[in-house]
Amino acid sequence: MDTLANVIVSSILLGGVYFILSLGLNIILGVLDIVNFAHGALIILGAYSTFLINRALHWDPFILVLVDMVVVGVIGAVLYLCYLRFTVNSPLVRMFALIGFNSVVAALLLIFMGSDYRTVPIDLGTWYLGPIPIRVTQVIAFAFAIALGVITIVLLNRTKVGKAVKAVTDDRTSVQLAGINDRRLSLLAFTVGAGLAGAAGGIISTYVTFGSESGLAFAIIAFAIVIVGGLGDIWGGAVASLLVALVLTGVTVYLSSALTNTALFLLVLFVLLVRPRGILGRGRV
Amino acid sequence: MSLLSSVAVSAGYGDLVAIDNITIDVEENSLLGVIGPNGAGKSTFLRALTGVVPLRGGQVLWQGTDIGHLPADARARKGISMVQEGRRLFPSLTVRDNLELGGFHASRQERAERMTEVVDLFPALGGIMDRSASVLSGGEQQMVALGRALMARPQCLLVDEPSLGLAPLIVDEIYEALPTLIERGMSVVLVEQEVDRVLEVADSLVVLHEGRIVYLGDGSEFRENPDSLAAVYLGHALDEGAA
Ligand SMILES: Nc1ncnc2c1ncn2[C@@H]1O[C@H](COP(=O)(O)OP(=O)(O)OP(=O)(O)O)[C@@H](O)[C@H]1O
Ligand SMILES: [Mg+2]
């Protein structure tokens, strides 16, 4: 019984982190129709940004989440301006470019950071929810992830520019015809999406150890969440984050951690079969 | 000088040339009707004017200046608004947000004023402001689409088949708004299948057939002799067809 309660509590906490892990991917997909194969690289850059600045300056890892967001957001903007916007007419070239970016980042990290796995040293003790132990850092990570997610959603739904970004998802031509520069909105969406990936990397660096190749593992989880939640459906992504966290935690605890990716793929296949437009049925096909 | 002109404009999709060598002037404060059978190139003509499809040749002049190289959003900011075929609202937003995005570049106060004007023009919108644009009737959609275009306070409004799929009473309501717009100093380019409706309101008329102009005039010939229009629709020049 305790184990089950434990699994549920851990899954909820992890689900919050997964939500932020997938949010940037979802926004970029929704607004730009770009499957961001560089998502993993952006996440891992956020994680290393926290690690390096924390090692050098001893800044609090949670403050660094905001720094990661800016650093990786800028990297995303440069990536978009120098390269992605010239590939709009060729999804294949774009995919190649993004996967290439992943490889370059992984190679550079390996060269400059070595193959060691890294941990950001942070321990704020443990709380007990009845008999269930909860690491305080995980609670803060959860709170940070949810706060960032909520702020993003509020900005998207309540501000003029946010609404214009949503409108691009609906109908880019109509946005242009309203005299709105959609190219700037695209840049904004990619920058914010990349920044969120960086923030996710920073948050996750307080959770798990990571290495130069870890981006792929995080990206796989993010892609699974976006598919399960429905392409471009942010609320669906929130529900899917929780579901994926439950499945991954459950499989690790009750079966074997070797089976987590298998479970993830089975979950994605299952959802694609029964709910091809995502768990809330509102995603794009 | 005309407000908006196309000079020898050609445009198309892939290998298809959808409109070829179209030269038309839109005069200030007037309504130009554009008619023609399905696939004649009416929508493509509007898209070429607004920059939604690139020009293959020719020029688009706005008050005498070539704007044919500008992207669609920059042309819109000059004062050209278009209501596309099929309305094309933002379904994930409310009616109010759809309208407000039409006035994206206006100040908050200016937007509020324009919003009042739009509701005066289409009172039905007043009651559905907070409804999602994804659940509107066809008539409501068309009013939102027109309202959104008017929120930019354009000098030239292009409207593509506003009557399509709507009940006659609703179409009446929409057509009643057009003279008001002209009174306010706007120019309108109206693409339609319902020829009679266009003849009622148009100051000048273009008939397209297979991407070319087969008639350009004030339309009086067709008001006097409706049968002559059938010939033009089949692609005959007016004199040979009417003979
Ligand atoms: N997006 C597109 N891609 C490819 N071909 C297109 C596209 N839109 C239109 N066409 C083709 O271009 C030609 C002109 O089409 P257009 O839509 O401009 O005609 P239209 O006069 O507006 O017709 P309708 O009265 O049916 O709206 C047609 O042959 C059509 O099949
Ligand atoms: Mg058409």
Side-chain angles (χ1 to χ4, degrees), chain B residues 43 85 160-161:
Chain B
S43 299
E85 202 172 3
D160 199 346
E161 301 208 31

Side-chain angles (χ1 to χ4, degrees), chain B residues 18-51:
Chain B
I19 51 169
D20 191 24
N21 197 23
I22 305 284
T23 299
I24 294 175
D25 292 324
V26 182
E27 300 306 334
E28 257 180 75
N29 221 288
S30 74
L31 194 147
L32 169 71
V34 181
I35 59 176
N38 288 112
K42 306 181 294 295
S43 299
T44 306
F45 174 56
L46 295 193
R47 290 184 198 129
L49 287 177
T50 51

Side-chain angles (χ1 to χ4, degrees), chain B residues 7 50 57-58 90 96 136 171 195 201 211:
Chain B
V7 183
T50 51
F90 305 125
R96 185 189 311 281
L136 304 178
V171 180
V195 176
V201 291

Side-chain angles (χ1 to χ4, degrees), chain A residues 194-271:
Chain A
L196 285 170
I203 289 174
I204 227 162
S205 74
T206 67
Y207 231 92
V208 293
T209 55
F210 55 91
S212 57
E213 301 275 356
S214 300
L216 182 62
F218 298 140
I220 287 175
I221 293 172
F223 274 94
I225 289 167
V226 168
I227 298 170
V228 170
L231 307 190
D233 181 355
I234 287 173
W235 289 113
V239 177
S241 301
L242 193 58
L243 186 65
V244 165
L246 263 172
V247 168
L248 293 189
T249 313
V251 167
T252 308
V253 171
Y254 292 111
L255 298 170
S256 153
S257 61
L259 289 174
T260 50
N261 270 351
T262 312
L264 206 52
F265 284 117
L266 288 177
L267 176 69
V268 167
L269 279 181
F270 177 72
V271 169

